[in-house]
Structure formats: C-alpha cells, structure tokens
Amino acid sequence: MKKVTVSGKTVDEAVQSAITQLNTTRERVSIQIVEEPQKGFLGLIGVKPAVVEVEIVPDAAEEAVNFLQDVTKNMGVSVEINKIETKDGLILNLSGEGIGMLIGKRGQTLDSLQYLVNLVANRYSEQYMRIVLDAESYRDRRKESLEQLAKRLGHKAIRTRKEVILEPMNALERKIIHTALQEIKGVKTFSEGVEPNRRIVVAPANK
C-alpha cells in the first residue's frame, strides 16, 4: 500500500492517520488536500471532516534494491545486498551462492544489471544518482587483474617493438588499462574500433 485517502476532524489529524496506515514518516510522503474541514450550522450540525490523499514518495535507492531483488530472484539466484554510500553515489555489493551467474563473462552480466539499476533509480531521483553494482568485490579483483595485464603487455610491446592488441573492453576497463600504462615509459596506448568492439592497442612509444 503506497497511497491512502483518509478523513479526520482536521487536516493534520487526517495526515497523521494516513502516515500511520502507511507506516512511514511525514518526510517520505506527498500530501494532497481533497476537502478542507467545514463547520456546520452553529458549529454543530452538518460538520464535514477534512479529506486528504497521502502517497509515499518512492526512494530511489530503495526502488533500485527492490528491482535488483526481483531480477535476481527471477534468475534463480538468492543474494544479499549490502548498501554502501559514497561521495560519488551508492555501491550495491551482492553476495550469495551462484554469484558467478550475476557476474557473467568478464563482468558483462554485472554491467548490464548495473545499467538497468541506474535507469530504475534515476526514474525516482530528482538529482542524478550513480550506482555501482559489485559482486563480492569483483570490481576490485578485475581492476587488479587488468593492471597486471596492462603492465605485462606494456613490457612485451617494448621488448618486441611490436603493437599488442587487446580484446574488446568497455570504457571503464579501457580507462584502467590506459591509466596503468601511463606509468611505463616507452609505450603509448590508443583505442580503435566501434562499441561494443572497441579495443586498446599498446604500442612502442617511438613507433
């Protein structure tokens, strides 16, 4: 139940009754006064109560979590969702059995879920909300793995004096590779191709 219509002797009384029924707080609702209270003849006969319509205002983060729970349940995966607030937005970290299904090959399923979760959240948020979806710290492990790969291929490009072409990656993973190779002298990086097949080329700097 997210919306109720309630009457009371006063507007405040009706609103408070509605908030109690909705099991929420005044800060989480929108209030529309349907009818103001009216006193009858001599203040006694024909008294009309106040009527208000009170609706819970959706919380963007809660809606994102609810959506994620529904999707993972339909996928047959039971997960726990841990919310972590950061200065840049919100991290939703998933844990549970069968988590590999939610990550997918090179994190592609996780990226798709993250895209959908952001769409849902920002339907209800007045300001843009950035949500990062993680699964048992997969993002950190993947970042570390990409940095190691970048350095290994950077040294290979220097040693062989030939270009090394990586597999297609999303924009975030390409940025990790570019950043990691900025620390290695003697190599340069650039991207080629069109999404979703855009990839990084690691080349000797003087080539």
Side-chain angles (χ1 to χ4, degrees):
M1 182 169 56
K2 293 187 177 182
K3 180 168 68 174
V4 293
T5 301
V6 179
S7 60
K9 292 180 180 179
T10 65
V11 170
D12 282 344
E13 181 182 292
V15 169
Q16 188 55 52
S17 176
I19 288 172
T20 300
Q21 288 186 40
L22 293 170
N23 191 29
T24 186
T25 63
R26 198 177 187 105
E27 293 75 21
R28 288 288 313 278
V29 299
S30 65
I31 302 166
Q32 181 178 351
I33 300 174
V34 179
E35 290 185 20
E36 293 277 0
Q38 296 180 14
K39 292 183 179 180
F41 181 66
L42 299 177
L44 298 172
I45 302 172
V47 175
K48 286 188 175 182
V51 180
V52 298
E53 186 177 85
V54 178
E55 182 176 12
I56 294 178
V57 177
D59 178 82
E62 286 183 11
E63 293 297 330
V65 170
N66 291 338
F67 169 79
L68 196 52
Q69 288 173 332
D70 288 341
V71 171
T72 53
K73 183 178 180 181
N74 289 332
M75 292 175 69
V77 182
S78 178
V79 299
E80 291 185 10
I81 302 174
N82 181 32
K83 292 194 295 184
I84 305 171
E85 293 186 6
T86 70
K87 64 178 182 178
D88 298 320
L90 186 67
I91 297 175
L92 299 180
N93 195 32
L94 311 180
S95 60
E97 294 184 8
I99 206 73
M101 182 186 296
L102 300 182
I103 295 173
K105 185 179 180 181
R106 295 194 299 272
Q108 291 176 346
T109 304
L110 193 64
D111 288 340
S112 297
L113 285 173
Q114 177 175 286
Y115 174 75
L116 294 174
V117 164
N118 274 275
L119 284 182
V120 170
N122 284 288
R123 283 175 54 195
Y124 301 101
S125 180
E126 294 182 359
Q127 296 181 332
Y128 179 75
M129 173 180 284
R130 180 175 181 267
I131 297 179
V132 173
L133 197 60
D134 203 355
E136 296 184 347
S137 301
Y138 167 81
R139 301 284 186 195
D140 287 339
R141 297 197 306 273
R142 177 65 172 166
K143 181 174 183 288
E144 183 178 346
S145 175
L146 287 172
E147 288 173 342
Q148 292 175 353
L149 173 66
K151 292 174 183 178
R152 187 166 67 250
L153 295 182
H155 291 304
K156 178 180 179 180
I158 294 172
R159 185 178 68 254
T160 62
R161 302 188 62 77
K162 293 181 180 180
E163 293 182 349
V164 181
I165 302 174
L166 281 70
E167 64 185 14
M169 295 179 184
N170 61 41
L172 179 60
E173 293 190 340
R174 292 199 304 271
K175 183 179 179 181
I176 292 172
I177 297 289
H178 285 305
T179 302
L181 286 174
Q182 285 177 357
E183 302 175 2
I184 299 180
K185 293 182 179 181
V187 295
K188 61 182 179 181
T189 61
F190 56 91
S191 296
E192 63 179 17
V194 179
E195 301 289 4
N197 295 312
R198 195 162 173 78
R199 62 187 72 210
I200 286 181
V201 177
V202 182
N206 58 354
K207 185 171 182 179

